[in-house]
């Protein structure tokens, strides 16, 4: 018993020593540059910023369009002022909810809940339009195979396809074994009526992209149906491997709607999957390029929420950062620091969304994460956090006007030489905040 107590004390002391020195975060210090009413955004909303303009998809006034919604489609904004300059692809008939947009050369490609993929130019003019077998929920992916460009898109009910960006001509198709959507030659009208009430998760979230089989073409790893991982050859669309949790029996996936993170260890691409075991402990599993378990790292019992869009090479949690390279070190956050604005000593974070780019602050590289948070006696809302990757210190807290599931966009939005953050909220607005930091401290991934 004495040895057990002594061991526990040593462990707790070790954990306490590893925690960062707490520093009071700056709260609500970011300057709001502009606000633009564009309708609802989601965790799949991925805008394009180019030549002083922003193109962004919208879900309009509500996410499920059982009635006409004139607010959805695509908005073109002035990047300096947020002013709406164009609004298109918001036809009267059909569910024109749009999430992510892909820019290819001088044109754009986006899917919609109207079961179609559309290519348009900077004026909003449609170049081509093709039907799909279901709702396209995430941004299409550009895959380079030799000299050939391919645009890969997927539907929530299980279609995965590659097309030519110049004309939408099909290159390859894959259909999930449980796919029940439309295929060419079938009655399109009957399908669209039935699909209005369907919601699926087979290829709902944007995939992780990496050259797994080392053939010079990026491959795609999908978190399918929130429980399985499926890797596809980007050149042919063939399945490279499947990792089915129920078959492996090693725990329940914590990915949720998140795509898996990857890292390179000894020139080998490793795909990481956090799991919760039957004894309520957590483990981080690393899969090799064949989809076989190569690493198992225990994470204890303190893991809470995984953050969406964790960049390759690390995983962001609500209470820690895990470096996936080398020793896979876990750095705990100091998020329980007293925040005077709230008058409480504890913030409960959830559903973090991690920006693609990072910033240098106080001598370290920092992640920008949008968290939903809960606090006794207050309503749920969202918070922008700037958190050091080495120390776990949270340097900035910015309370957002409403709940957000938008993945923050971090870059010099209005070309004034300072770093900005774009974020969308459930109040139907897009907000542009200035970090007040010189653009030379922007870290692009």
């Amino acid at each position: 018993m004495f040895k057990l107590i002594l061991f526990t004390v040593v462990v707790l002391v070790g954990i306490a020593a590893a925690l960062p020195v707490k520093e009071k975060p700056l709260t609500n210090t970011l300057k709001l540059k502009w606000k633009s009413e564009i309708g609802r955004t989601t965790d799949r909303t991925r805008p394009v910023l180019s030549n002083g303009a922003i193109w962004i998809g919208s879900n309009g006034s509500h996410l499920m369009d059982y009635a006409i919604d004139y607010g959805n489609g695509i908005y073109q904004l002035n990047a300096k002022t947020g002013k709406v300059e164009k609004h298109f692809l918001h036809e009267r008939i059909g569910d024109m909810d749009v999430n992510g947009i892909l820019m290819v050369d001088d044109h754009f490609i986006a899917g919609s809940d109207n079961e179609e993929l559309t290519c348009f130019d900077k004026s909003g003019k449609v170049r081509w339009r093709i039907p799909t077998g279901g709702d396209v929920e995430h941004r299409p992916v550009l895959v380079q195979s030799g000299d050939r460009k391919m645009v890969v898109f997927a539907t929530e009910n299980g279609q995965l396809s590659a097309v030519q960006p110049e004309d939408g001509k099909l290159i390859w198709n894959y259909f999930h074994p449980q796919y029940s959507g439309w295929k060419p030659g079938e009655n399109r009208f009957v399908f669209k009526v039935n699909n209005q009430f369907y919601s699926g998760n087979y290829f709902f979230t944007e995939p992780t992209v990496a050259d797994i089989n080392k053939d010079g073409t990026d491959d795609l790893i999908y978190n399918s149906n929130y429980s399985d991982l499926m890797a596809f050859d980007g050149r042919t669309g063939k399945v490279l491997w499947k990792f089915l949790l129920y078959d492996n029996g090693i725990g329940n996936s914590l990915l949720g709607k998140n795509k898996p993170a990857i890292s390179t260890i000894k020139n080998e691409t490793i795909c990481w999957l956090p799991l919760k075991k039957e004894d309520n402990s957590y483990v981080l599993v690393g899969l090799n390029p064949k989809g076989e378990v190569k690493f198992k790292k225990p994470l204890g019992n303190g893991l809470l929420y995984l953050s969406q869009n964790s960049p390759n090479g690390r995983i962001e949690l609500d209470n820690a950062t895990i470096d996936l390279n080398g020793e896979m070190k876990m750095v705990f956050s100091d998020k329980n620091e007293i925040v005077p604005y709230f008058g409480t000593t504890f913030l409960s974070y959830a559903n973090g969304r991690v920006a693609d780019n990072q910033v240098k602050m106080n001598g370290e590289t920092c992640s920008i994460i949008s968290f939903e948070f809960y606090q006794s006696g207050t309503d749920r809302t969202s918070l922008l956090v700037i958190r050091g990757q080495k120390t776990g210190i949270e340097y900035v807290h910015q309370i957002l006007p409403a709940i957000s599931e938008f993945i923050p966009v971090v870059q010099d939005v209005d070309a004034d030489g300072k770093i900005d953050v774009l974020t969308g909220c459930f109040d139907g607005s897009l907000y542009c905040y200035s970090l007040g930091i010189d653009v030379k401290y922007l870290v692009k991934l």
Side-chain angles (χ1 to χ4, degrees), residues 356-359 365 410-412 439-445:
D356 290 331
N357 294 333
Q358 303 165 354
V359 297
T365 301
V410 179
Q411 63 183 77
D412 183 3
V439 73
K440 67 182 180 181
Y441 296 108
L442 180 67
V443 181
K444 294 186 176 181
L445 298 183

Side-chain angles (χ1 to χ4, degrees), residues 53-64:
I54 301 170
W55 286 266
I56 187 168
S58 171
N59 281 247
S61 59
H62 43 273
L63 301 180
M64 300 293 288

Side-chain angles (χ1 to χ4, degrees), residues 369-388:
I369 310 173
S370 174
F371 286 108
E372 293 177 36
F373 77 90
Y374 305 81
Q375 179 189 15
S376 177
T378 67
D379 294 331
R380 181 171 60 124
T381 187
S382 288
L383 186 74
L384 274 178
V385 173
I386 300 181
R387 183 166 77 187

